[in-house]
Amino acid sequence: FQAEDGIRDDLVTGVQTCALPISACRPFRRRLFTRFQSLPGPGLTAPVTHTLFGSSRILLLTLLASICGPVLPITWAQPPRRPGFPQPLEFSPTDRQNFPEPAADISKQRPDIPHGRLEMIQYESKTVGTTRSLNVYTPPGYTTDTRYPVLYLLHGIGGDETEWQRFADPLNLLDNLIADGKAAPMIVVMPNGRAQKNDRAEGDVFASAPAFATFEKDLLNDVIPAIEGRYSVKADRDSRAIAGLSMGGGQALNFGFANPTVFAWIGGFSAAPNTRPPEQLIPDPVMARTQYHLIWLSCGRKDQLLGISQKTERFLQQQQIPHSWNVDGHGHDATHWKHNLWHFCQQVFQHKATAE
């Protein structure tokens, strides 16, 4: 094992980024496959030539430790790092949880309150050249006699227009907040941020990254006009918000700051590497100090992408741009996104900027 030049370092570095191509280690592929098949839980049914993600991290760490024995300890503590790989997390005194953990039942359905509606609708996308889907929440008592503000809520790179529904149950979460008087009645639009004809999260989802940038045109030219033509909404920047998780968090920041005449409320939860560098993201800091009603940034202390949000937050601090910053104890996970959506919805459309 030690004789294989560079393989040990590639393995360890790959584990840390949850992106380990097993096929790069051909001498050990059969042993890895055998060990995985013997572990409790679902086994691998395809040749082990793909990339491992998510819960496989712990399994793979255990497996590598069992294979390599005493060979790895020094390398494990300080593995070599390559350009673009996550760096060790560092924290400043401002990287703290400024908003408390909500109760466990924030999205529990309550039979004693009015309920809104979640519906899947279609719209024609001239940008993509096809008919696409939107998941839309309308609040309890929705009526055309009232005009509502709109939150455009974006998903991550492995998701679609149903991801927020699965991760956070926005139907019950919003119903409960509105019933308790903690959130303004609003429409929430959950589009598919992968602006291409086959917009399913299939195969190599990272290959669709360019389509997430293209979605800016689809959002501005097709999605917003479709919503404003179909629902009773307020069609002004003060009544439009944009927020998202991970890849969608990067989109929300990129699109929100690039279109200040369209959006006045911006939220990025665990923003991904598609987030523009701060100087490009906010080219006019002086204007940004007064332009936005709310800029919300959040990330978990266990999230390897924390540095991306930190860079944006540090820039906002340096430029004295009012914003909210919440670093909770979670990782790059649904709990963080659900909790911060819950906090965000209590501040959005309240017409007061927040500086924490």
Side-chain angles (χ1 to χ4, degrees), residues 102 106-107 151-154 163-165 167-171 173-174 177 183 186 188 190 242-245 267-269 294 296 298 326 328 334-348:
I106 56 174
S107 60
L151 165 60
Y152 294 88
L153 191 59
L154 311 181
E163 184 169 69
W164 274 106
Q165 183 179 351
F167 283 170
D169 190 5
L171 173 62
L173 186 146
L174 265 297
L177 284 174
M186 69 184 82
V188 181
M190 292 160 277
I242 186 167
L245 68 87
F269 317 136
L294 174 64
W296 176 282
S298 71
N326 192 41
D328 62 23
T335 301
H336 175 83
W337 301 324
K338 180 178 181 177
H339 288 184
N340 282 274
L341 175 65
W342 185 79
H343 285 300
F344 182 80
C345 286
Q346 294 178 69
Q347 298 191 42
V348 72

Side-chain angles (χ1 to χ4, degrees), residues 154-203:
L154 311 181
H155 62 80
I157 196 167
D160 57 23
E161 64 274 15
T162 67
E163 184 169 69
W164 274 106
Q165 183 179 351
R166 290 180 279 114
F167 283 170
D169 190 5
L171 173 62
N172 288 308
L173 186 146
L174 265 297
D175 283 354
N176 294 343
L177 284 174
I178 292 170
D180 292 339
K182 294 180 178 179
M186 69 184 82
I187 291 173
V188 181
V189 179
M190 292 160 277
N192 187 314
R194 190 180 293 100
Q196 58 188 24
K197 290 189 176 179
N198 178 9
D199 60 8
R200 298 302 90 192
E202 301 171 338

Side-chain angles (χ1 to χ4, degrees), residues 10-328:
D10 285 345
L11 280 168
V12 177
T13 306
V15 168
Q16 291 207 326
T17 60
C18 271
L20 174 65
I22 301 294
S23 58
C25 311
R26 298 185 185 280
F28 310 102
R29 185 166 66 183
R30 186 170 298 279
R31 290 178 67 186
L32 288 169
F33 181 73
T34 302
R35 294 290 186 95
F36 263 109
Q37 290 291 65
S38 68
L39 290 169
L44 299 175
T45 56
V48 190
T49 58
H50 62 279
T51 300
L52 299 172
F53 294 94
S55 60
S56 298
R57 173 190 297 210
I58 296 174
L59 296 179
L60 190 52
L61 285 168
T62 305
L63 180 57
L64 287 172
S66 67
I67 288 178
C68 305
V71 174
L72 288 177
I74 295 176
T75 308
W76 198 273
Q78 291 296 331
R81 300 193 174 273
R82 298 179 180 176
F85 279 37
Q87 299 300 309
L89 298 180
E90 298 179 358
F91 302 95
S92 79
T94 60
D95 297 329
R96 62 179 182 268
Q97 185 162 358
N98 290 303
F99 297 84
E101 292 288 291
D105 61 354
I106 56 174
S107 60
K108 182 179 179 180
Q109 187 175 42
R110 291 158 52 181
D112 59 331
I113 64 171
H115 292 285
R117 181 183 179 189
L118 198 63
E119 62 176 342
M120 193 72 70
I121 69 166
Q122 313 271 285
Y123 72 101
E124 294 301 317
S125 171
K126 295 178 182 177
T127 301
V128 181
T130 190
T131 301
R132 309 191 73 218
S133 297
L134 298 167
N135 208 2
V136 181
Y137 166 84
T138 47
Y142 170 81
T143 171
T144 55
D145 293 333
T146 301
R147 294 193 176 275
Y148 300 86
V150 184
L151 165 60
Y152 294 88
L153 191 59
L154 311 181
H155 62 80
I157 196 167
D160 57 23
E161 64 274 15
T162 67
E163 184 169 69
W164 274 106
Q165 183 179 351
R166 290 180 279 114
F167 283 170
D169 190 5
L171 173 62
N172 288 308
L173 186 146
L174 265 297
D175 283 354
N176 294 343
L177 284 174
I178 292 170
D180 292 339
K182 294 180 178 179
M186 69 184 82
I187 291 173
V188 181
V189 179
M190 292 160 277
N192 187 314
R194 190 180 293 100
Q196 58 188 24
K197 290 189 176 179
N198 178 9
D199 60 8
R200 298 302 90 192
E202 301 171 338
D204 180 7
V205 294
F206 294 97
S208 64
F212 281 79
T214 302
F215 180 67
E216 181 173 7
K217 294 180 181 177
D218 189 39
L219 175 64
L220 298 175
N221 299 331
D222 301 312
V223 173
I224 292 177
I227 292 298
E228 294 181 351
R230 179 169 181 144
Y231 294 94
S232 180
V233 303
K234 297 177 180 178
D236 59 84
R237 70 177 298 272
D238 291 330
S239 304
R240 291 194 205 98
I242 186 167
L245 68 87
S246 192
M247 192 77 163
Q251 286 179 307
L253 296 174
N254 293 345
F255 305 165
F257 286 117
N259 298 279
T261 62
V262 180
F263 303 104
W265 315 79
I266 302 173
F269 317 136
S270 310
N274 62 318
T275 307
R276 293 178 185 131
E279 294 77 9
Q280 297 177 24
L281 185 68
I282 309 171
D284 189 347
V286 175
M287 181 209 73
R289 290 173 193 161
T290 58
Q291 191 79 9
Y292 299 98
H293 299 314
L294 174 64
I295 299 170
W296 176 282
L297 293 177
S298 71
C299 203
R301 291 184 68 87
K302 300 175 184 176
D303 193 333
Q304 287 294 319
L305 298 183
L306 175 61
I308 296 165
S309 295
Q310 285 176 322
K311 287 180 182 178
T312 305
E313 197 277 332
R314 302 295 187 266
F315 183 81
L316 294 174
Q317 271 194 61
Q318 293 164 5
Q319 300 298 327
Q320 300 178 3
I321 300 171
H323 63 285
S324 291
W325 175 226
N326 192 41
V327 181
D328 62 23

